[in-house]
Amino acid sequence: MDREDATECEKRKVVVVEAAGREAHTYINSNQDERFKKDIRPLAKYSYDQWETLGREDAHFTSLCGYSNPVTLGVWLYEQCLHYGVEFRIDSQVVSADLSSNNEIVSIGITSDGQKSSVLACNKIVLATGSWTPAVFKKLFPDSSVKLEPVISAGEWFVFENPEPDSEIAAAYFDDIVGEKLEFAGRNDHTIWVTGVKTDNGTVPDLGEVPKPDPASLAKLKAYSDNILKHPQNGLRVISQGRSYRPENRRQVPVIAGIPASQLSASRHRDGKTSVYINLGHGSYGVTLGMGSGKVMSQLVLGKKTDVNVSSMGVSFDG
């Protein structure tokens, strides 16, 4: 965050509220078609340059996050948000949104621990809830003409203890060897993350529901891991495992956009200012594009000219 953004943050109250009252399980890698890569290239370069600058200038970030460790990255982001005065509502769930007569957001309803209800006044909201964004948007704005179709892109994963904790941190891809998606990524916390083939079958779990991994897919992934990561002395110790969902959309292009007031509800006057924003559908490039997407979204919310042209990253409407 640059000095100008820090000043803006001090002027405005930012509150982060969970969508479902528990952690989301998101999936962060897989191949995408070339059209997707071409369409996001300007945003990717913009984001990558910011990550590179951060890595050079912030020693704490470099030591904490290392190579693509989303867990420690989340810790670092949380620390930065607290430093700039962001308030977090953990173990809460957004259940409703109240619009003015001009279709501008005025408040959201929140429940805590599934029981206590409260109202949080606001004049802008950003929905960035991964694969659950379509469900959250539909719940908050059931009369909207916006079309956010959920896309299933799930995959199983393991996190293993690294049997060679002093080895160099790196990523390895075995797609060409095994004939399907297979990726290993060493992390700076002495673990190895592995994922395999994605599936587009089934449905996205309900909000707050823990995804259930497919036993056959887990067994296959474990067999690959045992074979490739076999060690003469140390076996593989499983730290965690599960199934996660990649936030995609059918156009294979992210959505980074404000929703026109005229599209939120047909039952009110519709000449209000844009107050609802969506950040969704980065597919396997969520971490890579995270820095740039967040920066551009902040510029949209503040009514500034964006550093990257995201006019092609809007939403679709009924009719």
Side-chain angles (χ1 to χ4, degrees):
M1 180 178 289
D2 57 35
R3 183 173 300 176
E4 182 180 359
D5 290 331
T7 302
E8 288 284 0
C9 190
E10 291 172 357
K11 293 178 180 178
R12 303 166 188 270
K13 182 67 174 179
V14 179
V15 181
V16 178
V17 184
E18 291 183 300
R22 67 169 65 233
E23 65 182 26
H25 292 250
T26 57
Y27 185 46
I28 64 169
N29 218 332
S30 151
N31 293 327
Q32 291 281 2
D33 61 48
E34 290 301 320
R35 185 182 66 85
F36 184 84
K37 294 177 182 177
K38 180 180 179 180
D39 285 349
I40 67 169
R41 198 165 294 152
L43 178 62
K45 183 180 185 307
Y46 177 72
S47 189
Y48 183 79
D49 289 345
Q50 292 187 71
W51 282 123
E52 284 287 283
T53 300
L54 181 62
R56 290 193 303 268
E57 298 179 353
D58 191 327
H60 175 57
F61 167 81
T62 303
S63 62
L64 181 65
C65 299
Y67 179 85
S68 188
N69 189 335
V71 177
T72 52
L73 174 59
V75 171
W76 181 85
L77 289 170
Y78 180 71
E79 292 174 349
Q80 294 301 302
C81 288
L82 291 179
H83 174 74
Y84 287 107
V86 175
E87 177 185 340
F88 284 83
R89 300 289 183 95
I90 307 298
D91 295 325
S92 299
Q93 182 176 358
V94 178
V95 294
S96 62
D98 188 24
L99 298 173
S100 70
S101 59
N102 290 331
N103 268 6
E104 296 177 12
I105 193 76
V106 294
S107 66
I108 56 174
I110 302 172
T111 60
S112 301
D113 301 324
Q115 297 179 348
K116 300 177 182 178
S117 299
S118 61
V119 175
L120 179 64
C122 56
N123 55 23
K124 302 281 180 70
I125 63 169
V126 177
L127 299 184
T129 56
S131 299
W132 287 265
T133 300
V136 174
F137 184 85
K138 185 175 182 179
K139 181 178 183 178
L140 299 184
F141 307 104
D143 299 330
S144 174
S145 60
V146 172
K147 294 172 61 177
L148 294 176
E149 300 181 60
V151 176
I152 305 301
S153 182
E156 276 63 42
W157 54 268
F158 279 100
V159 174
F160 298 108
E161 181 180 42
N162 191 338
E164 290 283 355
D166 296 326
S167 60
E168 183 178 348
I169 298 173
Y173 305 87
F174 294 84
D175 307 33
D176 294 339
I177 296 175
V178 302
E180 57 187 355
K181 182 67 181 177
L182 182 62
E183 177 185 351
F184 295 82
R187 294 176 172 173
N188 63 338
D189 57 357
H190 308 304
T191 64
I192 298 174
W193 176 80
V194 57
T195 189
V197 176
K198 74 171 185 177
T199 178
D200 55 6
N201 297 323
T203 59
V204 176
D206 292 337
L207 288 169
E209 180 182 339
V210 177
K212 298 178 180 179
D214 174 61
S217 297
L218 277 180
K220 186 176 183 180
L221 197 58
K222 181 64 163 57
Y224 277 140
S225 302
D226 287 334
N227 184 48
I228 293 173
L229 297 176
K230 58 186 177 184
H231 192 275
Q233 284 84 35
N234 305 324
L236 282 180
R237 186 174 76 87
V238 176
I239 295 178
S240 58
Q241 64 187 52
R243 160 174 280 214
S244 295
Y245 288 80
R246 180 189 303 108
E248 291 186 354
N249 63 62
R250 298 194 183 281
R251 293 193 301 127
Q252 297 286 295
V253 175
V255 173
I256 305 176
I259 307 301
S262 60
Q263 305 297 334
L264 287 178
S265 173
S267 61
R268 295 175 171 85
H269 296 295
R270 303 188 295 175
D271 55 354
K273 297 179 180 179
T274 298
S275 60
V276 177
Y277 300 82
I278 292 178
N279 200 326
L280 164 71
H282 297 76
S284 59
Y285 301 103
V287 173
T288 302
L289 299 177
M291 181 73 79
S293 297
K295 178 74 172 181
V296 170
M297 178 56 71
S298 71
Q299 292 166 343
L300 285 174
V301 171
L302 294 173
K304 298 181 178 180
K305 181 180 178 180
T306 58
D307 292 338
V308 177
N309 183 356
V310 292
S311 60
S312 64
M313 301 181 186
V315 296
S316 300
F317 303 101
D318 288 326

